mmCIF file with all atom_site columns, all heavy atoms in Angstrom:
data_model
loop_
_atom_site.group_PDB
_atom_site.id
_atom_site.type_symbol
_atom_site.label_atom_id
_atom_site.label_alt_id
_atom_site.label_comp_id
_atom_site.label_asym_id
_atom_site.label_entity_id
_atom_site.label_seq_id
_atom_site.pdbx_PDB_ins_code
_atom_site.Cartn_x
_atom_site.Cartn_y
_atom_site.Cartn_z
_atom_site.occupancy
_atom_site.B_iso_or_equiv
_atom_site.pdbx_formal_charge
_atom_site.auth_seq_id
_atom_site.auth_comp_id
_atom_site.auth_asym_id
_atom_site.auth_atom_id
_atom_site.pdbx_PDB_model_num
ATOM 1   N N   . LEU A 1 33 ? 1.322   1.245  -5.631  1.00 94.00 ? 33 LEU A N   1
ATOM 2   C CA  . LEU A 1 33 ? -0.100  1.552  -5.797  1.00 94.00 ? 33 LEU A CA  1
ATOM 3   C C   . LEU A 1 33 ? -0.337  1.752  -7.256  1.00 94.00 ? 33 LEU A C   1
ATOM 4   O O   . LEU A 1 33 ? 0.370   2.573  -7.908  1.00 94.00 ? 33 LEU A O   1
ATOM 5   C CB  . LEU A 1 33 ? -0.453  2.842  -5.009  1.00 94.00 ? 33 LEU A CB  1
ATOM 6   C CG  . LEU A 1 33 ? -1.869  3.215  -4.869  1.00 94.00 ? 33 LEU A CG  1
ATOM 7   C CD1 . LEU A 1 33 ? -2.609  2.184  -4.010  1.00 94.00 ? 33 LEU A CD1 1
ATOM 8   C CD2 . LEU A 1 33 ? -1.993  4.569  -4.184  1.00 94.00 ? 33 LEU A CD2 1
ATOM 9   N N   . VAL A 1 41 ? 1.170   4.358  -9.826  1.00 96.00 ? 41 VAL A N   1
ATOM 10  C CA  . VAL A 1 41 ? 1.030   5.810  -9.554  1.00 96.00 ? 41 VAL A CA  1
ATOM 11  C C   . VAL A 1 41 ? 1.761   6.207  -8.262  1.00 96.00 ? 41 VAL A C   1
ATOM 12  O O   . VAL A 1 41 ? 1.952   7.383  -8.014  1.00 96.00 ? 41 VAL A O   1
ATOM 13  C CB  . VAL A 1 41 ? -0.463  6.209  -9.447  1.00 96.00 ? 41 VAL A CB  1
ATOM 14  C CG1 . VAL A 1 41 ? -1.150  6.026  -10.800 1.00 96.00 ? 41 VAL A CG1 1
ATOM 15  C CG2 . VAL A 1 41 ? -1.180  5.434  -8.383  1.00 96.00 ? 41 VAL A CG2 1
ATOM 16  N N   . ASP A 1 54 ? 0.601   9.336  1.127   1.00 88.00 ? 54 ASP A N   1
ATOM 17  C CA  . ASP A 1 54 ? -0.080  10.566 0.757   1.00 88.00 ? 54 ASP A CA  1
ATOM 18  C C   . ASP A 1 54 ? -0.766  10.337 -0.606  1.00 88.00 ? 54 ASP A C   1
ATOM 19  O O   . ASP A 1 54 ? -0.107  10.132 -1.618  1.00 88.00 ? 54 ASP A O   1
ATOM 20  C CB  . ASP A 1 54 ? 0.897   11.729 0.652   1.00 88.00 ? 54 ASP A CB  1
ATOM 21  C CG  . ASP A 1 54 ? 0.226   13.037 0.326   1.00 88.00 ? 54 ASP A CG  1
ATOM 22  O OD1 . ASP A 1 54 ? -1.037  13.068 0.166   1.00 88.00 ? 54 ASP A OD1 1
ATOM 23  O OD2 . ASP A 1 54 ? 0.908   14.058 0.210   1.00 88.00 ? 54 ASP A OD2 1
ATOM 24  N N   . ILE A 1 55 ? -2.100  10.339 -0.601  1.00 89.00 ? 55 ILE A N   1
ATOM 25  C CA  . ILE A 1 55 ? -2.865  10.039 -1.807  1.00 89.00 ? 55 ILE A CA  1
ATOM 26  C C   . ILE A 1 55 ? -3.675  11.268 -2.269  1.00 89.00 ? 55 ILE A C   1
ATOM 27  O O   . ILE A 1 55 ? -4.566  11.158 -3.100  1.00 89.00 ? 55 ILE A O   1
ATOM 28  C CB  . ILE A 1 55 ? -3.805  8.826  -1.631  1.00 89.00 ? 55 ILE A CB  1
ATOM 29  C CG1 . ILE A 1 55 ? -4.791  9.093  -0.500  1.00 89.00 ? 55 ILE A CG1 1
ATOM 30  C CG2 . ILE A 1 55 ? -2.964  7.567  -1.397  1.00 89.00 ? 55 ILE A CG2 1
ATOM 31  C CD1 . ILE A 1 55 ? -5.869  8.072  -0.425  1.00 89.00 ? 55 ILE A CD1 1
ATOM 32  N N   . GLN A 1 56 ? -3.330  12.438 -1.803  1.00 89.00 ? 56 GLN A N   1
ATOM 33  C CA  . GLN A 1 56 ? -4.058  13.667 -2.132  1.00 89.00 ? 56 GLN A CA  1
ATOM 34  C C   . GLN A 1 56 ? -4.069  13.975 -3.616  1.00 89.00 ? 56 GLN A C   1
ATOM 35  O O   . GLN A 1 56 ? -5.068  14.529 -4.114  1.00 89.00 ? 56 GLN A O   1
ATOM 36  C CB  . GLN A 1 56 ? -3.505  14.839 -1.352  1.00 89.00 ? 56 GLN A CB  1
ATOM 37  C CG  . GLN A 1 56 ? -3.752  14.782 0.125   1.00 89.00 ? 56 GLN A CG  1
ATOM 38  C CD  . GLN A 1 56 ? -3.238  16.005 0.837   1.00 89.00 ? 56 GLN A CD  1
ATOM 39  O OE1 . GLN A 1 56 ? -3.386  17.125 0.353   1.00 89.00 ? 56 GLN A OE1 1
ATOM 40  N NE2 . GLN A 1 56 ? -2.627  15.825 1.974   1.00 89.00 ? 56 GLN A NE2 1
ATOM 41  N N   . LYS A 1 57 ? -3.033  13.611 -4.319  1.00 92.00 ? 57 LYS A N   1
ATOM 42  C CA  . LYS A 1 57 ? -2.921  13.951 -5.751  1.00 92.00 ? 57 LYS A CA  1
ATOM 43  C C   . LYS A 1 57 ? -3.532  12.918 -6.663  1.00 92.00 ? 57 LYS A C   1
ATOM 44  O O   . LYS A 1 57 ? -3.548  13.107 -7.873  1.00 92.00 ? 57 LYS A O   1
ATOM 45  C CB  . LYS A 1 57 ? -1.455  14.180 -6.137  1.00 92.00 ? 57 LYS A CB  1
ATOM 46  C CG  . LYS A 1 57 ? -0.868  15.363 -5.406  1.00 92.00 ? 57 LYS A CG  1
ATOM 47  C CD  . LYS A 1 57 ? 0.594   15.569 -5.806  1.00 92.00 ? 57 LYS A CD  1
ATOM 48  C CE  . LYS A 1 57 ? 1.158   16.783 -5.041  1.00 92.00 ? 57 LYS A CE  1
ATOM 49  N NZ  . LYS A 1 57 ? 2.570   16.972 -5.305  1.00 92.00 ? 57 LYS A NZ  1
ATOM 50  N N   . LEU A 1 58 ? -4.027  11.829 -6.087  1.00 92.00 ? 58 LEU A N   1
ATOM 51  C CA  . LEU A 1 58 ? -4.631  10.770 -6.922  1.00 92.00 ? 58 LEU A CA  1
ATOM 52  C C   . LEU A 1 58 ? -6.045  11.086 -7.284  1.00 92.00 ? 58 LEU A C   1
ATOM 53  O O   . LEU A 1 58 ? -6.776  11.681 -6.442  1.00 92.00 ? 58 LEU A O   1
ATOM 54  C CB  . LEU A 1 58 ? -4.561  9.430  -6.196  1.00 92.00 ? 58 LEU A CB  1
ATOM 55  C CG  . LEU A 1 58 ? -3.177  8.903  -5.845  1.00 92.00 ? 58 LEU A CG  1
ATOM 56  C CD1 . LEU A 1 58 ? -3.301  7.563  -5.129  1.00 92.00 ? 58 LEU A CD1 1
ATOM 57  C CD2 . LEU A 1 58 ? -2.336  8.736  -7.105  1.00 92.00 ? 58 LEU A CD2 1
ATOM 58  N N   . ASN A 1 59 ? -6.476  10.670 -8.436  1.00 93.00 ? 59 ASN A N   1
ATOM 59  C CA  . ASN A 1 59 ? -7.867  10.828 -8.805  1.00 93.00 ? 59 ASN A CA  1
ATOM 60  C C   . ASN A 1 59 ? -8.724  9.820  -8.016  1.00 93.00 ? 59 ASN A C   1
ATOM 61  O O   . ASN A 1 59 ? -8.248  8.802  -7.591  1.00 93.00 ? 59 ASN A O   1
ATOM 62  C CB  . ASN A 1 59 ? -8.046  10.514 -10.326 1.00 93.00 ? 59 ASN A CB  1
ATOM 63  C CG  . ASN A 1 59 ? -7.362  11.563 -11.170 1.00 93.00 ? 59 ASN A CG  1
ATOM 64  O OD1 . ASN A 1 59 ? -7.331  12.748 -10.817 1.00 93.00 ? 59 ASN A OD1 1
ATOM 65  N ND2 . ASN A 1 59 ? -6.808  11.141 -12.268 1.00 93.00 ? 59 ASN A ND2 1
ATOM 66  N N   . ALA A 1 60 ? -9.995  10.139 -7.888  1.00 92.00 ? 60 ALA A N   1
ATOM 67  C CA  . ALA A 1 60 ? -10.942 9.222  -7.276  1.00 92.00 ? 60 ALA A CA  1
ATOM 68  C C   . ALA A 1 60 ? -10.975 7.949  -8.101  1.00 92.00 ? 60 ALA A C   1
ATOM 69  O O   . ALA A 1 60 ? -10.905 7.989  -9.326  1.00 92.00 ? 60 ALA A O   1
ATOM 70  C CB  . ALA A 1 60 ? -12.307 9.855  -7.158  1.00 92.00 ? 60 ALA A CB  1
ATOM 71  N N   . TYR A 1 63 ? -7.893  1.373  -6.740  1.00 94.00 ? 63 TYR A N   1
ATOM 72  C CA  . TYR A 1 63 ? -6.480  1.137  -6.893  1.00 94.00 ? 63 TYR A CA  1
ATOM 73  C C   . TYR A 1 63 ? -6.110  -0.224 -6.265  1.00 94.00 ? 63 TYR A C   1
ATOM 74  O O   . TYR A 1 63 ? -6.799  -0.690 -5.375  1.00 94.00 ? 63 TYR A O   1
ATOM 75  C CB  . TYR A 1 63 ? -5.705  2.246  -6.147  1.00 94.00 ? 63 TYR A CB  1
ATOM 76  C CG  . TYR A 1 63 ? -5.846  3.615  -6.801  1.00 94.00 ? 63 TYR A CG  1
ATOM 77  C CD1 . TYR A 1 63 ? -6.934  4.408  -6.494  1.00 94.00 ? 63 TYR A CD1 1
ATOM 78  C CD2 . TYR A 1 63 ? -4.929  4.048  -7.714  1.00 94.00 ? 63 TYR A CD2 1
ATOM 79  C CE1 . TYR A 1 63 ? -7.102  5.631  -7.122  1.00 94.00 ? 63 TYR A CE1 1
ATOM 80  C CE2 . TYR A 1 63 ? -5.067  5.278  -8.348  1.00 94.00 ? 63 TYR A CE2 1
ATOM 81  C CZ  . TYR A 1 63 ? -6.154  6.063  -8.027  1.00 94.00 ? 63 TYR A CZ  1
ATOM 82  O OH  . TYR A 1 63 ? -6.309  7.295  -8.654  1.00 94.00 ? 63 TYR A OH  1
ATOM 83  N N   . VAL A 1 81 ? -10.183 5.425  -3.547  1.00 89.00 ? 81 VAL A N   1
ATOM 84  C CA  . VAL A 1 81 ? -9.890  6.832  -3.253  1.00 89.00 ? 81 VAL A CA  1
ATOM 85  C C   . VAL A 1 81 ? -11.137 7.625  -3.602  1.00 89.00 ? 81 VAL A C   1
ATOM 86  O O   . VAL A 1 81 ? -11.687 7.488  -4.683  1.00 89.00 ? 81 VAL A O   1
ATOM 87  C CB  . VAL A 1 81 ? -8.699  7.353  -4.073  1.00 89.00 ? 81 VAL A CB  1
ATOM 88  C CG1 . VAL A 1 81 ? -8.507  8.838  -3.869  1.00 89.00 ? 81 VAL A CG1 1
ATOM 89  C CG2 . VAL A 1 81 ? -7.437  6.595  -3.703  1.00 89.00 ? 81 VAL A CG2 1
ATOM 90  N N   . ARG A 1 83 ? -13.350 11.432 -3.372  1.00 80.00 ? 83 ARG A N   1
ATOM 91  C CA  . ARG A 1 83 ? -13.208 12.874 -3.326  1.00 80.00 ? 83 ARG A CA  1
ATOM 92  C C   . ARG A 1 83 ? -14.505 13.566 -2.949  1.00 80.00 ? 83 ARG A C   1
ATOM 93  O O   . ARG A 1 83 ? -15.578 13.108 -3.176  1.00 80.00 ? 83 ARG A O   1
ATOM 94  C CB  . ARG A 1 83 ? -12.769 13.449 -4.725  1.00 80.00 ? 83 ARG A CB  1
ATOM 95  C CG  . ARG A 1 83 ? -11.400 12.938 -5.102  1.00 80.00 ? 83 ARG A CG  1
ATOM 96  C CD  . ARG A 1 83 ? -10.333 13.663 -4.367  1.00 80.00 ? 83 ARG A CD  1
ATOM 97  N NE  . ARG A 1 83 ? -9.013  13.086 -4.598  1.00 80.00 ? 83 ARG A NE  1
ATOM 98  C CZ  . ARG A 1 83 ? -8.257  12.539 -3.689  1.00 80.00 ? 83 ARG A CZ  1
ATOM 99  N NH1 . ARG A 1 83 ? -8.622  12.456 -2.473  1.00 80.00 ? 83 ARG A NH1 1
ATOM 100 N NH2 . ARG A 1 83 ? -7.087  12.055 -4.016  1.00 80.00 ? 83 ARG A NH2 1
#
Side-chain angles (χ1 to χ4, degrees):
L33 190 66
V41 295
D54 182 0
I55 59 168
Q56 291 183 40
K57 295 179 181 178
L58 298 180
N59 293 325
Y63 293 84
V81 175
R83 295 285 174 241

